[in-house]
Amino acid sequence: MRNLKYAILGLVCKAPTTGYEISKEFNHRISNFWFANHSQVYPELNRLLDEGAITCETVLQGEKMEKKVYSITPSGKKDFMEWMMTDTELAPIPKDIFRLKSYFANFLDTEDFTYLIDAELKKRMERYTFLKNTFAAYTSEPDIHSKDFGDYIVLEGAVLREEAYIQWLHNCKARLIRK
Amino acid sequence: MRNLKYAILGLVCKAPTTGYEISKEFNHRISNFWFANHSQVYPELNRLLDEGAITCETVLQGEKMEKKVYSITPSGKKDFMEWMMTDTELAPIPKDIFRLKSYFANFLDTEDFTYLIDAELKKRMERYTFLKNTFAAYTSEPDIHSKDFGDYIVLEGAVLREEAYIQWLHNCKARLIRK
DNA sequence: ACGTGCATGTAAAGCGTTACATGATTAC
DNA sequence: GTAATCATGTAACGCTTTACATGCACGT
C-alpha cells in the first residue's frame, strides 16, 4: 500500500522540507491521523530519492552540520495526485485495547470497571481539551484552497472523534451506576 | 505488549474453544475493535500452550478430522485478570488514510474532493446501518454480569464512532458546497 | 561547561498481512 | 459430484517500534 510514502510525498509537495521536519510533523499536527518515527522516515526518503519521486539538496547549517532538503519531482507529484484521487477501500476498523477490555467487562466487578472507565475518561478528556483549544485557535474557516484547510477539517474530525468516545464512556459509566 | 495474547485468553476464558472459532470471532463481532488472521491465531495458541496459560484437548470430528479445544488454566486466568485490571496508556491515535487525504485536500478541486467524500460516506453508511441493526437486535440492556454485556456496550461504542465519522463527512461536504 | 534541540542514520525484534499448503465434513 | 465450510498449520514479506549510534549548534 505504501501509505507512508504518500504521507511523506504530500508533505514534500506542500513545500521543500527535511526528514527532521517531517518527523516533527508526524509527532505534532499529523499525529491526529498518522504517525511515523524518524527511523521510518529517513529510509523512506532515500527510497523515494532512488525512485525519482523527490530530489535532494544538501544545505549547510552553521559550519559543519548538514541538512538534506527534499523537493518533489514532476513524476513524484503525478504519483501523489493519482493516489489522492483514487477512492480506496474502507480502512480496517482500528484496534482498540480499551474496547477489547470492555468486551470482557463481565469478568470485572462494577467497581473495577468503573475505575478503568474513569482512568480512560481522564486521559481522553485531556486529549479532547487540547484538540478543542487547538481548533478554537482558528477564528475563521480557512478557504478550501488555502494551505490550512486540510489542517482545519482534520482537526474538526479529531474533535468529533474524541467527543464520541467520551460520550460512549459516559454512557458506560451511567449504565454501571444505575444498577 | 502481547495484546493478541490477551484477546485470545479472554475468549478462552469465556468458554473452551478452538483456533478456528477464535478466528471466526475476530472476523465477526470482535472485528469492531480487534482483528487477527488465523495465521496469527494458531501460532499464538501454541505459544500460550507452551507458557502454560491454556491446555489443549484433541476432539474427533467425524471419522478422521481432529479439532483442538483449548481451555484456560488457573495461571492463564490470573494473567488475564491482571491485564484486565491494569490501567494502560492511552492507545496511539489510529492511522486513517481518508483523514490523511483530507489533510492534503487543498491539492484537489472541489469536485474531486466532493467525489471522495461521497464515496467514503456511502461505505461508512453501509457499515453504520449494519451496526445499528445489530445493536437494535438487543431489545433490552443485558445485565452487567451477563455474557452479552461486553458485546452490547462495545456495539454501542461502534455505533457512536461511526456516527461521529459520518457527521464529520457531512460537515466537510457542507463546507465545500457553501463556497 | 552543559543541556536542549537539530540532524541523520542503522539494527533488531515484534507485529500483521498475504500467500502457500493440506485435507475432512456437510449440505445440495 | 461439487461447493462451501470446517480445521490447522507454515513461509515470506512488509510495516512498526525500540534501541543503538553519532555528532553539531545554540543558548545560558
Side-chain angles (χ1 to χ4, degrees):
Chain A
M1 287 166 282
R2 304 280 312 272
N3 289 318
L4 176 63
K5 164 183 169 174
Y6 294 106
I8 290 176
L9 231 42
L11 289 174
V12 178
C13 267
K14 282 201 163 185
T17 185
T18 67
Y20 187 79
E21 287 295 319
I22 291 169
S23 287
K24 266 207 305 190
E25 284 287 292
F26 281 138
N27 282 279
H28 292 107
R29 295 306 260 257
I30 293 185
S31 71
N32 280 314
F33 53 90
W34 207 265
F35 181 79
N37 288 297
H38 78 273
S39 59
Q40 260 187 296
V41 172
Y42 290 117
E44 187 62 40
L45 280 168
N46 285 320
R47 194 173 165 184
L48 290 171
L49 199 60
D50 285 347
E51 292 172 0
I54 54 176
T55 56
C56 175
E57 197 194 351
T58 303
V59 175
L60 261 178
Q61 294 289 93
E63 302 239 317
K64 285 184 182 176
M65 209 168 109
E66 291 181 338
K67 69 174 176 184
K68 298 181 176 176
V69 180
Y70 295 96
S71 305
I72 198 86
T73 64
S75 115
K77 173 93 187 195
K78 186 165 166 274
D79 192 355
F80 173 70
M81 288 308 290
E82 267 164 28
W83 173 78
M84 277 295 283
M85 291 200 268
T86 307
D87 170 39
T88 42
E89 285 293 290
L90 212 52
I93 294 167
K95 293 180 180 180
D96 186 325
I97 298 167
F98 187 81
R99 287 185 208 257
L100 179 60
K101 283 189 184 175
S102 301
Y103 183 74
F104 296 124
N106 61 313
F107 285 111
L108 291 178
D109 295 343
T110 308
E111 300 81 54
D112 288 331
F113 190 41
T114 306
Y115 168 77
L116 279 188
I117 293 173
D118 282 336
E120 184 76 10
L121 253 176
K122 186 167 173 265
K123 285 174 270 182
R124 289 273 164 186
M125 279 303 294
E126 269 169 40
R127 181 184 276 177
Y128 172 70
T129 305
F130 176 75
L131 286 167
K132 191 93 182 169
N133 288 339
T134 313
F135 187 62
Y138 280 101
T139 46
S140 67
E141 279 193 19
D143 184 78
I144 303 169
H145 295 291
S146 82
K147 67 169 182 36
D148 285 337
F149 181 69
D151 185 55
Y152 180 79
I153 60 171
V154 163
L155 252 177
E156 191 205 27
V159 168
L160 286 169
R161 178 183 58 201
E162 293 304 320
E163 237 160 36
Y165 209 108
I166 288 164
Q167 166 81 63
W168 174 60
L169 290 171
H170 278 305
N171 288 4
C172 287
K173 211 183 156 181
R175 209 164 271 132
L176 293 182
I177 290 165
R178 219 183 303 143
K179 304 223 174 171
Chain B
M1 285 166 284
R2 304 281 312 273
N3 289 318
L4 176 63
K5 165 183 168 173
Y6 294 105
I8 290 176
L9 232 41
L11 288 174
V12 178
C13 267
K14 281 200 164 188
T17 185
T18 68
Y20 187 79
E21 287 295 318
I22 291 168
S23 287
K24 267 207 307 190
E25 283 287 291
F26 281 138
N27 281 280
H28 292 107
R29 296 305 261 258
I30 293 185
S31 73
N32 281 313
F33 54 90
W34 207 262
F35 181 79
N37 289 298
H38 77 273
S39 58
Q40 261 187 296
V41 172
Y42 290 117
E44 187 63 39
L45 280 168
N46 284 320
R47 195 172 165 186
L48 290 170
L49 199 60
D50 284 348
E51 293 172 0
I54 55 176
T55 56
C56 174
E57 197 194 351
T58 303
V59 175
L60 261 177
Q61 292 290 93
E63 301 241 317
K64 284 184 182 178
M65 208 168 109
E66 290 180 341
K67 69 174 178 184
K68 296 181 174 175
V69 179
Y70 296 95
S71 305
I72 197 87
T73 63
S75 114
K77 174 94 187 197
K78 186 166 165 271
D79 192 354
F80 173 71
M81 289 308 289
E82 267 163 29
W83 174 79
M84 277 295 283
M85 290 200 268
T86 308
D87 169 39
T88 41
E89 285 294 289
L90 213 50
I93 294 167
K95 293 180 181 180
D96 186 325
I97 298 167
F98 187 81
R99 287 185 208 257
L100 179 60
K101 285 190 182 173
S102 302
Y103 183 74
F104 296 124
N106 60 314
F107 286 111
L108 292 178
D109 296 342
T110 308
E111 301 81 54
D112 288 332
F113 191 41
T114 306
Y115 169 78
L116 278 188
I117 293 173
D118 282 336
E120 183 78 9
L121 252 176
K122 186 166 173 268
K123 285 174 271 182
R124 289 274 165 185
M125 278 303 294
E126 269 169 40
R127 183 184 274 177
Y128 172 69
T129 306
F130 176 75
L131 285 167
K132 191 91 182 170
N133 288 339
T134 313
F135 188 62
Y138 280 100
T139 48
S140 67
E141 279 192 20
D143 184 78
I144 305 170
H145 295 290
S146 82
K147 67 169 181 33
D148 286 335
F149 182 70
D151 185 55
Y152 180 79
I153 59 171
V154 163
L155 253 177
E156 190 206 27
V159 168
L160 286 169
R161 177 182 59 202
E162 294 304 319
E163 238 160 35
Y165 209 107
I166 289 164
Q167 166 81 63
W168 174 60
L169 290 171
H170 278 304
N171 288 4
C172 288
K173 212 184 156 181
R175 209 164 270 132
L176 294 181
I177 291 166
R178 221 181 303 144
K179 305 223 173 167

